[in-house]
Amino acid sequence: STAPAEFIGLEAAMAPPVDSIADPAVRALAERGRYLLLTTDCTGCHVTPAPQGPMPDMYLAGGRRFTTNLHGAVVSRNLTPDPETGLARRTDDDIKRVLRSGVYPDGRPIPHNAMPWAQFSNWSDEDLHAVVVYLRHIKPVRHEIPPPAPGVADTVVPGALEIAEGIDAGRK
């Protein structure tokens, strides 16, 4: 078992630094976004799992599968700025709406226990913007995630959760 301090260190080591951003104002925003992502444990769900642990070269590319006994499977989304499989397809406002209100761009609600959007709902506009700026500056990773099944809620039921450890549920 990995000690909590060691785990957080490993997680922080995966998060790319923002040193390469030339504009100091943009770099400061991205650093704030990086901090928020790390302290709210976005990587806890949005990592790409492998048998030996998360794949560092696929930071925030998603693919972790959660299975519930009542609602089927939920696969974490690709948060990288990949133009085909990630957030480059989404506007800044789309991303902020998911974080603040738990609503997908197509209008489907995200139950708070599938993604803890309620804990982000009180972030300031600047915090939301900082997270988006950081996500726009990380390495794009092509990693297709299967869409939710029609009519199946993206939900996780407390006490009825199975996490598929070491298995990437995304499509290569």
Side-chain angles (χ1 to χ4, degrees), residues 35-87:
Y35 170 81
L36 288 166
L37 283 176
L38 285 171
T39 58
T40 55
D41 195 29
C42 295
T43 56
C45 294
H46 292 278
V47 297
T48 303
Q52 283 73 38
M55 298 174 65
D57 60 330
M58 294 185 70
Y59 179 70
L60 294 179
R64 176 168 270 179
R65 179 186 173 99
F66 303 86
T67 305
T68 71
N69 62 357
L70 296 176
H71 300 286
V74 175
V75 179
S76 64
R77 308 281 99 194
N78 182 346
L79 301 184
T80 76
D82 181 71
E84 294 178 35
T85 65
L87 292 180

CSV table of all heavy atoms in Angstrom, one decimal, residues 35-87:
chain,number,residue,atom,x,y,z
A,35,TYR,N,-2.9,23.8,-9.4
A,35,TYR,CA,-3.0,23.6,-8.0
A,35,TYR,C,-4.5,23.1,-7.6
A,35,TYR,O,-4.6,22.2,-6.8
A,35,TYR,CB,-2.7,24.9,-7.3
A,35,TYR,CG,-3.1,24.9,-5.8
A,35,TYR,CD1,-2.3,24.4,-4.8
A,35,TYR,CD2,-4.3,25.5,-5.4
A,35,TYR,CE1,-2.6,24.4,-3.5
A,35,TYR,CE2,-4.7,25.5,-4.0
A,35,TYR,CZ,-3.8,24.9,-3.1
A,35,TYR,OH,-4.2,24.9,-1.8
A,36,LEU,N,-5.5,23.7,-8.2
A,36,LEU,CA,-6.8,23.3,-8.0
A,36,LEU,C,-7.1,21.9,-8.4
A,36,LEU,O,-7.8,21.2,-7.7
A,36,LEU,CB,-7.8,24.3,-8.7
A,36,LEU,CG,-7.9,25.7,-8.0
A,36,LEU,CD1,-8.6,26.7,-9.0
A,36,LEU,CD2,-8.6,25.6,-6.7
A,37,LEU,N,-6.6,21.5,-9.6
A,37,LEU,CA,-6.8,20.1,-10.0
A,37,LEU,C,-6.1,19.1,-9.1
A,37,LEU,O,-6.7,18.1,-8.8
A,37,LEU,CB,-6.2,20.0,-11.4
A,37,LEU,CG,-7.1,20.5,-12.6
A,37,LEU,CD1,-6.4,20.4,-13.9
A,37,LEU,CD2,-8.4,19.9,-12.6
A,38,LEU,N,-5.0,19.5,-8.6
A,38,LEU,CA,-4.3,18.5,-7.7
A,38,LEU,C,-5.0,18.5,-6.3
A,38,LEU,O,-5.1,17.4,-5.8
A,38,LEU,CB,-2.8,19.0,-7.5
A,38,LEU,CG,-1.9,18.7,-8.7
A,38,LEU,CD1,-0.5,19.3,-8.5
A,38,LEU,CD2,-1.7,17.2,-8.9
A,39,THR,N,-5.4,19.6,-5.8
A,39,THR,CA,-6.0,19.6,-4.4
A,39,THR,C,-7.4,19.1,-4.4
A,39,THR,O,-7.9,18.7,-3.3
A,39,THR,CB,-5.9,21.0,-3.8
A,39,THR,OG1,-6.6,21.9,-4.6
A,39,THR,CG2,-4.4,21.4,-3.6
A,40,THR,N,-8.1,19.0,-5.6
A,40,THR,CA,-9.4,18.5,-5.6
A,40,THR,C,-9.4,17.0,-6.2
A,40,THR,O,-10.5,16.5,-6.4
A,40,THR,CB,-10.4,19.4,-6.4
A,40,THR,OG1,-9.9,19.6,-7.7
A,40,THR,CG2,-10.6,20.7,-5.7
A,41,ASP,N,-8.2,16.5,-6.4
A,41,ASP,CA,-8.1,15.1,-6.8
A,41,ASP,C,-8.7,14.7,-8.1
A,41,ASP,O,-9.3,13.7,-8.3
A,41,ASP,CB,-8.5,14.2,-5.7
A,41,ASP,CG,-8.0,12.7,-5.9
A,41,ASP,OD1,-7.0,12.6,-6.5
A,41,ASP,OD2,-8.7,11.8,-5.5
A,42,CYS,N,-8.7,15.6,-9.1
A,42,CYS,CA,-9.2,15.3,-10.4
A,42,CYS,C,-8.5,14.1,-11.0
A,42,CYS,O,-9.2,13.3,-11.7
A,42,CYS,CB,-9.1,16.5,-11.4
A,42,CYS,SG,-10.0,17.9,-10.9
A,43,THR,N,-7.3,13.9,-10.7
A,43,THR,CA,-6.5,12.7,-11.2
A,43,THR,C,-7.0,11.4,-10.6
A,43,THR,O,-6.8,10.4,-11.2
A,43,THR,CB,-5.0,12.9,-11.0
A,43,THR,OG1,-4.8,13.1,-9.6
A,43,THR,CG2,-4.4,14.0,-11.8
A,44,GLY,N,-7.7,11.5,-9.5
A,44,GLY,CA,-8.2,10.3,-8.9
A,44,GLY,C,-9.1,9.5,-9.8
A,44,GLY,O,-9.2,8.3,-9.8
A,45,CYS,N,-9.9,10.2,-10.7
A,45,CYS,CA,-10.8,9.6,-11.6
A,45,CYS,C,-10.3,9.7,-13.0
A,45,CYS,O,-10.5,8.8,-13.8
A,45,CYS,CB,-12.2,10.2,-11.5
A,45,CYS,SG,-13.0,9.9,-10.0
A,46,HIS,N,-9.6,10.8,-13.4
A,46,HIS,CA,-9.3,11.1,-14.8
A,46,HIS,C,-7.9,10.6,-15.2
A,46,HIS,O,-7.4,11.0,-16.2
A,46,HIS,CB,-9.5,12.6,-15.1
A,46,HIS,CG,-10.9,13.0,-15.1
A,46,HIS,ND1,-11.8,12.8,-16.1
A,46,HIS,CD2,-11.6,13.6,-14.0
A,46,HIS,CE1,-12.9,13.3,-15.8
A,46,HIS,NE2,-12.9,13.7,-14.5
A,47,VAL,N,-7.4,9.6,-14.4
A,47,VAL,CA,-6.1,9.0,-14.9
A,47,VAL,C,-6.4,7.9,-15.9
A,47,VAL,O,-7.6,7.4,-16.0
A,47,VAL,CB,-5.3,8.4,-13.7
A,47,VAL,CG1,-4.9,9.5,-12.7
A,47,VAL,CG2,-6.1,7.3,-13.0
A,48,THR,N,-5.4,7.5,-16.6
A,48,THR,CA,-5.5,6.3,-17.5
A,48,THR,C,-4.8,5.2,-16.7
A,48,THR,O,-3.6,5.2,-16.5
A,48,THR,CB,-4.9,6.6,-18.8
A,48,THR,OG1,-5.5,7.7,-19.4
A,48,THR,CG2,-5.0,5.4,-19.7
A,49,PRO,N,-5.6,4.2,-16.3
A,49,PRO,CA,-5.0,3.1,-15.4
A,49,PRO,C,-4.2,2.1,-16.3
A,49,PRO,O,-4.4,1.9,-17.4
A,49,PRO,CB,-6.2,2.5,-14.8
A,49,PRO,CG,-7.4,2.8,-15.7
A,49,PRO,CD,-7.0,4.1,-16.4
A,50,ALA,N,-3.3,1.5,-15.6
A,50,ALA,CA,-2.5,0.4,-16.1
A,50,ALA,C,-2.2,-0.5,-15.0
A,50,ALA,O,-2.4,-0.2,-13.8
A,50,ALA,CB,-1.2,0.9,-16.7
A,51,PRO,N,-1.8,-1.8,-15.2
A,51,PRO,CA,-1.6,-2.7,-14.1
A,51,PRO,C,-0.6,-2.2,-13.0
A,51,PRO,O,-0.8,-2.6,-11.9
A,51,PRO,CB,-1.0,-4.0,-14.9
A,51,PRO,CG,-1.6,-3.9,-16.2
A,51,PRO,CD,-1.6,-2.4,-16.5
A,52,GLN,N,0.4,-1.4,-13.4
A,52,GLN,CA,1.3,-0.9,-12.4
A,52,GLN,C,0.9,0.4,-11.8
A,52,GLN,O,1.7,1.1,-11.1
A,52,GLN,CB,2.7,-0.8,-12.9
A,52,GLN,CG,3.4,-2.2,-13.0
A,52,GLN,CD,2.9,-3.0,-14.2
A,52,GLN,OE1,2.5,-2.5,-15.2
A,52,GLN,NE2,2.7,-4.3,-14.0
A,53,GLY,N,-0.2,0.9,-12.1
A,53,GLY,CA,-0.7,2.3,-11.6
A,53,GLY,C,-1.0,3.2,-12.8
A,53,GLY,O,-0.9,2.8,-14.0
A,54,PRO,N,-1.3,4.4,-12.5
A,54,PRO,CA,-1.6,5.4,-13.5
A,54,PRO,C,-0.5,5.6,-14.6
A,54,PRO,O,0.7,5.5,-14.2
A,54,PRO,CB,-1.9,6.7,-12.8
A,54,PRO,CG,-2.1,6.3,-11.4
A,54,PRO,CD,-1.3,5.0,-11.2
A,55,MET,N,-0.9,5.9,-15.8
A,55,MET,CA,0.1,6.1,-16.9
A,55,MET,C,0.4,7.6,-16.9
A,55,MET,O,-0.4,8.4,-17.4
A,55,MET,CB,-0.5,5.6,-18.2
A,55,MET,CG,-0.8,4.1,-18.2
A,55,MET,SD,-1.7,3.6,-19.7
A,55,MET,CE,-0.5,3.9,-20.9
A,56,PRO,N,1.6,7.9,-16.5
A,56,PRO,CA,2.0,9.3,-16.4
A,56,PRO,C,2.0,10.1,-17.7
A,56,PRO,O,1.7,11.2,-17.8
A,56,PRO,CB,3.4,9.3,-15.8
A,56,PRO,CG,3.7,8.0,-15.3
A,56,PRO,CD,2.7,7.1,-15.9
A,57,ASP,N,2.3,9.3,-18.8
A,57,ASP,CA,2.3,10.0,-20.1
A,57,ASP,C,0.9,10.2,-20.7
A,57,ASP,O,0.8,10.8,-21.8
A,57,ASP,CB,3.2,9.1,-21.1
A,57,ASP,CG,2.6,7.7,-21.3
A,57,ASP,OD1,2.0,7.2,-20.4
A,57,ASP,OD2,2.8,7.2,-22.4
A,58,MET,N,-0.1,9.8,-20.0
A,58,MET,CA,-1.5,10.0,-20.4
A,58,MET,C,-2.2,10.8,-19.3
A,58,MET,O,-3.4,10.6,-19.0
A,58,MET,CB,-2.1,8.7,-20.7
A,58,MET,CG,-1.5,8.0,-21.9
A,58,MET,SD,-2.4,6.5,-22.4
A,58,MET,CE,-3.9,7.2,-23.1
A,59,TYR,N,-1.5,11.8,-18.8
A,59,TYR,CA,-2.1,12.7,-17.7
A,59,TYR,C,-3.5,13.2,-18.1
A,59,TYR,O,-3.6,13.9,-19.1
A,59,TYR,CB,-1.1,13.8,-17.4
A,59,TYR,CG,-1.5,14.7,-16.3
A,59,TYR,CD1,-1.6,14.3,-15.0
A,59,TYR,CD2,-1.9,16.0,-16.6
A,59,TYR,CE1,-2.0,15.2,-14.0
A,59,TYR,CE2,-2.3,16.9,-15.7
A,59,TYR,CZ,-2.4,16.5,-14.3
A,59,TYR,OH,-2.8,17.3,-13.4
A,60,LEU,N,-4.4,12.9,-17.3
A,60,LEU,CA,-5.8,13.4,-17.4
A,60,LEU,C,-6.5,12.9,-18.7
A,60,LEU,O,-7.5,13.5,-19.2
A,60,LEU,CB,-5.9,14.9,-17.3
A,60,LEU,CG,-5.6,15.5,-15.9
A,60,LEU,CD1,-5.7,17.0,-15.9
A,60,LEU,CD2,-6.5,14.9,-14.8
A,61,ALA,N,-6.0,11.9,-19.3
A,61,ALA,CA,-6.7,11.4,-20.6
A,61,ALA,C,-7.8,10.5,-20.3
A,61,ALA,O,-8.5,10.0,-21.2
A,61,ALA,CB,-5.6,10.6,-21.4
A,62,GLY,N,-8.2,10.2,-19.0
A,62,GLY,CA,-9.3,9.4,-18.7
A,62,GLY,C,-9.2,8.0,-19.0
A,62,GLY,O,-8.1,7.5,-19.3
A,63,GLY,N,-10.3,7.2,-18.8
A,63,GLY,CA,-10.3,5.8,-19.1
A,63,GLY,C,-10.5,4.9,-17.9
A,63,GLY,O,-10.7,3.7,-18.0
A,64,ARG,N,-10.6,5.5,-16.7
A,64,ARG,CA,-10.8,4.7,-15.5
A,64,ARG,C,-12.3,4.4,-15.5
A,64,ARG,O,-13.2,5.2,-15.6
A,64,ARG,CB,-10.5,5.5,-14.2
A,64,ARG,CG,-10.8,4.7,-13.0
A,64,ARG,CD,-10.2,5.2,-11.8
A,64,ARG,NE,-8.9,4.5,-11.6
A,64,ARG,CZ,-8.1,4.8,-10.6
A,64,ARG,NH1,-8.4,5.7,-9.7
A,64,ARG,NH2,-7.0,4.1,-10.5
A,65,ARG,N,-12.6,3.1,-15.3
A,65,ARG,CA,-14.0,2.6,-15.3
A,65,ARG,C,-14.5,2.3,-13.9
A,65,ARG,O,-13.8,1.7,-13.1
A,65,ARG,CB,-14.0,1.3,-16.2
A,65,ARG,CG,-15.4,0.7,-16.2
A,65,ARG,CD,-15.2,-0.7,-17.0
A,65,ARG,NE,-16.5,-1.4,-16.9
A,65,ARG,CZ,-17.3,-1.5,-17.9
A,65,ARG,NH1,-17.1,-0.9,-19.0
A,65,ARG,NH2,-18.4,-2.2,-17.8
A,66,PHE,N,-15.7,2.8,-13.7
A,66,PHE,CA,-16.3,2.6,-12.4
A,66,PHE,C,-17.6,1.9,-12.7
A,66,PHE,O,-18.3,2.2,-13.6
A,66,PHE,CB,-16.7,3.9,-11.7
A,66,PHE,CG,-15.5,4.9,-11.5
A,66,PHE,CD1,-15.1,5.7,-12.5
A,66,PHE,CD2,-14.9,4.8,-10.3
A,66,PHE,CE1,-14.0,6.6,-12.3
A,66,PHE,CE2,-13.8,5.7,-10.1
A,66,PHE,CZ,-13.4,6.5,-11.1
A,67,THR,N,-17.9,0.8,-12.0
A,67,THR,CA,-19.1,0.0,-12.2
A,67,THR,C,-20.0,0.1,-11.0
A,67,THR,O,-19.5,-0.1,-9.9
A,67,THR,CB,-18.8,-1.4,-12.6
A,67,THR,OG1,-17.9,-1.4,-13.7
A,67,THR,CG2,-20.0,-2.2,-13.0
A,68,THR,N,-21.3,0.3,-11.2
A,68,THR,CA,-22.2,0.3,-10.1
A,68,THR,C,-23.2,-0.8,-10.3
A,68,THR,O,-23.5,-1.2,-11.4
A,68,THR,CB,-22.9,1.6,-10.0
A,68,THR,OG1,-23.8,1.8,-11.1
A,68,THR,CG2,-21.9,2.8,-10.0
A,69,ASN,N,-23.8,-1.3,-9.2
A,69,ASN,CA,-24.7,-2.4,-9.3
A,69,ASN,C,-26.1,-1.9,-9.8
A,69,ASN,O,-26.9,-2.7,-10.3
A,69,ASN,CB,-24.9,-3.1,-8.0
A,69,ASN,CG,-25.4,-2.2,-6.9
A,69,ASN,OD1,-25.7,-1.0,-7.0
A,69,ASN,ND2,-25.6,-2.8,-5.7
A,70,LEU,N,-26.4,-0.6,-9.8
A,70,LEU,CA,-27.7,-0.1,-10.3
A,70,LEU,C,-27.7,0.6,-11.6
A,70,LEU,O,-28.6,0.6,-12.3
A,70,LEU,CB,-28.3,0.8,-9.2
A,70,LEU,CG,-28.6,0.2,-7.9
A,70,LEU,CD1,-29.1,1.3,-6.9
A,70,LEU,CD2,-29.7,-0.9,-8.0
A,71,HIS,N,-26.5,1.2,-11.9
A,71,HIS,CA,-26.5,2.1,-13.1
A,71,HIS,C,-25.4,1.7,-14.1
A,71,HIS,O,-25.2,2.5,-15.0
A,71,HIS,CB,-26.3,3.5,-12.7
A,71,HIS,CG,-27.4,4.0,-11.7
A,71,HIS,ND1,-28.6,4.3,-12.2
A,71,HIS,CD2,-27.4,4.2,-10.4
A,71,HIS,CE1,-29.4,4.7,-11.1
A,71,HIS,NE2,-28.6,4.6,-10.1
A,72,GLY,N,-24.8,0.6,-14.0
A,72,GLY,CA,-23.9,0.2,-15.1
A,72,GLY,C,-22.5,0.9,-14.9
A,72,GLY,O,-22.1,1.2,-13.8
A,73,ALA,N,-21.9,1.2,-16.0
A,73,ALA,CA,-20.5,1.7,-16.0
A,73,ALA,C,-20.4,3.2,-16.3
A,73,ALA,O,-21.2,3.7,-17.0
A,73,ALA,CB,-19.7,0.9,-17.0
A,74,VAL,N,-19.4,3.8,-15.7
A,74,VAL,CA,-19.1,5.2,-15.9
A,74,VAL,C,-17.6,5.1,-16.2
A,74,VAL,O,-16.8,4.5,-15.5
A,74,VAL,CB,-19.3,6.0,-14.7
A,74,VAL,CG1,-18.8,7.5,-14.9
A,74,VAL,CG2,-20.8,6.1,-14.3
A,75,VAL,N,-17.2,5.8,-17.3
A,75,VAL,CA,-15.8,5.8,-17.7
A,75,VAL,C,-15.4,7.3,-17.7
A,75,VAL,O,-16.0,8.2,-18.3
A,75,VAL,CB,-15.5,5.3,-19.1
A,75,VAL,CG1,-14.1,5.3,-19.5
A,75,VAL,CG2,-16.0,3.8,-19.1
A,76,SER,N,-14.3,7.6,-16.9
A,76,SER,CA,-13.8,9.0,-16.8
A,76,SER,C,-13.4,9.6,-18.2
A,76,SER,O,-12.9,8.9,-19.0
A,76,SER,CB,-12.7,9.1,-15.8
A,76,SER,OG,-11.6,8.4,-16.2
A,77,ARG,N,-13.8,10.8,-18.4
A,77,ARG,CA,-13.6,11.5,-19.6
A,77,ARG,C,-12.1,12.0,-19.8
A,77,ARG,O,-11.4,12.1,-18.9
A,77,ARG,CB,-14.5,12.8,-19.7
A,77,ARG,CG,-15.9,12.6,-19.4
A,77,ARG,CD,-16.7,12.0,-20.6
A,77,ARG,NE,-16.9,10.6,-20.4
A,77,ARG,CZ,-17.3,9.7,-21.3
A,77,ARG,NH1,-17.6,10.2,-22.5
A,77,ARG,NH2,-17.4,8.5,-21.1
A,78,ASN,N,-11.8,12.2,-21.1
A,78,ASN,CA,-10.5,12.8,-21.5
A,78,ASN,C,-10.5,14.3,-21.3
A,78,ASN,O,-11.2,15.0,-22.0
A,78,ASN,CB,-10.2,12.4,-22.9
A,78,ASN,CG,-8.8,12.8,-23.4
A,78,ASN,OD1,-8.1,13.6,-22.8
A,78,ASN,ND2,-8.4,12.3,-24.6
A,79,LEU,N,-9.7,14.8,-20.4
A,79,LEU,CA,-9.6,16.2,-20.1
A,79,LEU,C,-8.5,16.9,-20.8
A,79,LEU,O,-8.3,18.1,-20.6
A,79,LEU,CB,-9.5,16.5,-18.6
A,79,LEU,CG,-10.6,15.9,-17.7
A,79,LEU,CD1,-10.3,16.3,-16.2
A,79,LEU,CD2,-12.0,16.3,-18.1
A,80,THR,N,-7.8,16.2,-21.6
A,80,THR,CA,-6.7,16.9,-22.3
A,80,THR,C,-7.2,17.7,-23.5
A,80,THR,O,-8.3,17.5,-23.9
A,80,THR,CB,-5.6,15.9,-22.9
A,80,THR,OG1,-6.2,15.2,-24.0
A,80,THR,CG2,-5.2,14.9,-21.8
A,81,PRO,N,-6.4,18.6,-24.1
A,81,PRO,CA,-6.9,19.4,-25.2
A,81,PRO,C,-6.8,18.8,-26.5
A,81,PRO,O,-6.6,19.4,-27.6
A,81,PRO,CB,-6.0,20.7,-25.1
A,81,PRO,CG,-4.8,20.2,-24.5
A,81,PRO,CD,-5.1,19.1,-23.5
A,82,ASP,N,-6.9,17.4,-26.6
A,82,ASP,CA,-6.9,16.7,-27.9
A,82,ASP,C,-8.1,17.2,-28.7
A,82,ASP,O,-9.2,17.2,-28.2
A,82,ASP,CB,-6.9,15.2,-27.6
A,82,ASP,CG,-6.8,14.5,-29.0
A,82,ASP,OD1,-5.7,14.5,-29.6
A,82,ASP,OD2,-7.8,13.9,-29.4
A,83,PRO,N,-7.8,17.5,-30.0
A,83,PRO,CA,-8.9,18.0,-30.8
A,83,PRO,C,-10.0,17.0,-31.2
A,83,PRO,O,-11.1,17.4,-31.5
A,83,PRO,CB,-8.2,18.5,-32.1
A,83,PRO,CG,-6.9,17.9,-32.1
A,83,PRO,CD,-6.5,17.5,-30.7
A,84,GLU,N,-9.6,15.7,-31.2
A,84,GLU,CA,-10.6,14.7,-31.6
A,84,GLU,C,-11.3,14.0,-30.4
A,84,GLU,O,-12.4,13.6,-30.5
A,84,GLU,CB,-9.9,13.6,-32.5
A,84,GLU,CG,-9.5,14.2,-33.8
A,84,GLU,CD,-8.8,13.1,-34.6
A,84,GLU,OE1,-9.2,12.0,-34.6
A,84,GLU,OE2,-7.8,13.5,-35.3
A,85,THR,N,-10.5,13.8,-29.3
A,85,THR,CA,-11.1,13.0,-28.2
A,85,THR,C,-11.1,13.7,-26.9
A,85,THR,O,-11.5,13.1,-25.9
A,85,THR,CB,-10.2,11.7,-28.0
A,85,THR,OG1,-8.9,12.1,-27.6
A,85,THR,CG2,-10.2,10.9,-29.3
A,86,GLY,N,-10.7,14.9,-26.8
A,86,GLY,CA,-10.6,15.7,-25.6
A,86,GLY,C,-11.3,17.0,-25.5
A,86,GLY,O,-12.3,17.2,-26.3
A,87,LEU,N,-10.9,17.9,-24.7
A,87,LEU,CA,-11.7,19.1,-24.4
A,87,LEU,C,-11.5,20.2,-25.5
A,87,LEU,O,-12.2,21.2,-25.5
A,87,LEU,CB,-11.2,19.7,-23.1
A,87,LEU,CG,-11.7,18.9,-21.9
A,87,LEU,CD1,-11.2,19.6,-20.6
A,87,LEU,CD2,-13.2,18.7,-21.9
